[in-house]
Amino acid sequence: MWQILRQIVRTGIVTEPPPSTAGEAAAVQRIHQALLDILGRALTIRQVDAGSCNGCELEIHALGNPYYNIEGLGIKFVASPRHADMLLVTGPVSRHMEEALRRTYAATPEPKLVVAVGDCGCTGGIFGESYASCGRVANVIPVDVAVPGCPPPPTDILRGILDAVQGRQPNPARP
């Protein structure tokens, strides 16, 4: 026991210093302010997992932690698409989720926004189109903004939400 304690004292701290987040914190703050300026009210989001590996969901859940604090901005996740302004869809759309995603889209009141999150949602990812997968979200419902990455960091997801609210990156296939 004493040998281990002596070794700990001699060795000291061997972990690396934490990464600098000053630039990311400033970016998050700018996105927060832009969302508040545009919305002026709450934005409600219905998140739909259409067949993902849950990597994107982990990053979406990180948006609720104190660092990103989207609840403080008035952005809330809701359980019903009938209360949602935006659909945040992850994963390649599996054949079993195709009809459910269409119904969720139909149940969302106008004007509605759709954000595809992750490489799988944007392009079909490594799964593509097959007997079990419809591929990207845009193959099933119209998409306003695509947020690539596997998984995309929370800052990019926030930026995608902001782009959708601002009406940037219009999709020509959107009616």
Side-chain angles (χ1 to χ4, degrees):
M1 171 80 171
W2 290 109
Q3 286 178 331
I4 294 173
L5 289 174
R6 268 190 248 124
Q7 183 178 356
I8 291 171
V9 170
R10 268 186 299 193
T11 306
I13 298 174
V14 292
T15 61
E16 60 188 44
S20 173
T21 58
E24 186 175 338
V28 169
Q29 192 60 31
R30 282 194 304 276
I31 293 169
H32 278 202
Q33 190 57 48
L35 280 170
L36 281 175
D37 292 344
I38 293 166
L39 292 176
R41 64 176 185 86
L43 174 71
T44 54
I45 299 173
R46 171 70 172 125
Q47 195 270 323
V48 180
D49 177 355
S52 77
C53 68
N54 290 332
C56 294
E57 280 75 15
L58 291 172
E59 300 301 318
I60 290 169
H61 286 292
L63 290 173
N65 71 27
Y67 184 79
Y68 296 99
N69 190 26
I70 62 168
E71 289 264 337
L73 291 173
I75 300 174
K76 297 178 179 14
F77 286 92
V78 294
S80 172
R82 298 189 194 289
H83 302 143
D85 300 315
M86 175 185 289
L87 295 178
L88 205 61
V89 187
T90 60
V93 182
S94 68
R95 297 282 179 197
H96 293 291
M97 281 297 295
E98 181 179 10
E99 185 61 30
L101 182 59
R102 282 198 175 105
R103 287 182 182 186
T104 301
Y105 181 78
T108 306
E110 292 289 344
K112 52 188 153 195
L113 300 168
V114 178
V115 177
V117 178
D119 286 342
C120 294
C122 297
T123 65
I126 61 170
F127 305 101
E129 294 182 44
S130 69
Y131 69 93
S133 172
C134 299
R136 63 190 183 135
V137 175
N139 291 348
V140 179
I141 60 173
V143 172
D144 294 300
V145 174
V147 181
C150 187
T155 307
D156 289 352
I157 297 170
L158 260 178
R159 206 170 278 122
I161 292 170
L162 174 64
D163 288 348
V165 170
Q166 286 180 331
R168 288 195 206 149
Q169 192 186 354
N171 187 338
R174 172 96 178 174

mmCIF file of all heavy atoms in Angstrom, residues 47 88 114 125 168 173:
data_model
loop_
_atom_site.group_PDB
_atom_site.id
_atom_site.type_symbol
_atom_site.label_atom_id
_atom_site.label_comp_id
_atom_site.label_asym_id
_atom_site.label_seq_id
_atom_site.Cartn_x
_atom_site.Cartn_y
_atom_site.Cartn_z
ATOM 1 N N GLN A 47 -37.771 14.975 -31.812
ATOM 2 C CA GLN A 47 -36.632 14.211 -32.308
ATOM 3 C C GLN A 47 -37.105 12.812 -32.693
ATOM 4 O O GLN A 47 -37.809 12.163 -31.932
ATOM 5 C CB GLN A 47 -35.546 14.133 -31.236
ATOM 6 C CG GLN A 47 -34.201 13.688 -31.750
ATOM 7 C CD GLN A 47 -34.010 12.203 -31.709
ATOM 8 O OE1 GLN A 47 -34.452 11.530 -30.791
ATOM 9 N NE2 GLN A 47 -33.365 11.663 -32.727
ATOM 10 N N LEU A 88 -36.311 16.770 -35.871
ATOM 11 C CA LEU A 88 -34.872 16.506 -35.882
ATOM 12 C C LEU A 88 -34.745 14.998 -36.094
ATOM 13 O O LEU A 88 -35.035 14.216 -35.196
ATOM 14 C CB LEU A 88 -34.289 16.934 -34.539
ATOM 15 C CG LEU A 88 -32.832 17.326 -34.438
ATOM 16 C CD1 LEU A 88 -32.551 18.522 -35.333
ATOM 17 C CD2 LEU A 88 -32.498 17.685 -33.017
ATOM 18 N N VAL A 114 -37.623 20.562 -41.084
ATOM 19 C CA VAL A 114 -37.039 19.233 -40.915
ATOM 20 C C VAL A 114 -35.523 19.370 -41.016
ATOM 21 O O VAL A 114 -35.007 19.941 -41.984
ATOM 22 C CB VAL A 114 -37.550 18.236 -41.981
ATOM 23 C CG1 VAL A 114 -36.876 16.876 -41.803
ATOM 24 C CG2 VAL A 114 -39.053 18.097 -41.909
ATOM 25 N N GLY A 125 -25.419 7.188 -45.170
ATOM 26 C CA GLY A 125 -24.219 6.695 -44.495
ATOM 27 C C GLY A 125 -23.719 5.394 -45.087
ATOM 28 O O GLY A 125 -23.839 5.149 -46.284
ATOM 29 N N ARG A 168 -31.909 29.308 -44.078
ATOM 30 C CA ARG A 168 -30.723 29.100 -44.905
ATOM 31 C C ARG A 168 -30.729 27.704 -45.492
ATOM 32 O O ARG A 168 -31.477 26.845 -45.066
ATOM 33 C CB ARG A 168 -29.465 29.252 -44.058
ATOM 34 C CG ARG A 168 -29.178 30.648 -43.670
ATOM 35 C CD ARG A 168 -27.758 30.719 -43.171
ATOM 36 N NE ARG A 168 -27.643 31.833 -42.253
ATOM 37 C CZ ARG A 168 -26.817 31.864 -41.232
ATOM 38 N NH1 ARG A 168 -26.054 30.849 -40.968
ATOM 39 N NH2 ARG A 168 -26.746 32.906 -40.466
ATOM 40 N N ALA A 173 -35.635 20.425 -53.515
ATOM 41 C CA ALA A 173 -36.649 19.359 -53.598
ATOM 42 C C ALA A 173 -37.820 19.627 -52.662
ATOM 43 O O ALA A 173 -38.835 18.975 -52.742
ATOM 44 C CB ALA A 173 -36.005 18.017 -53.240
#
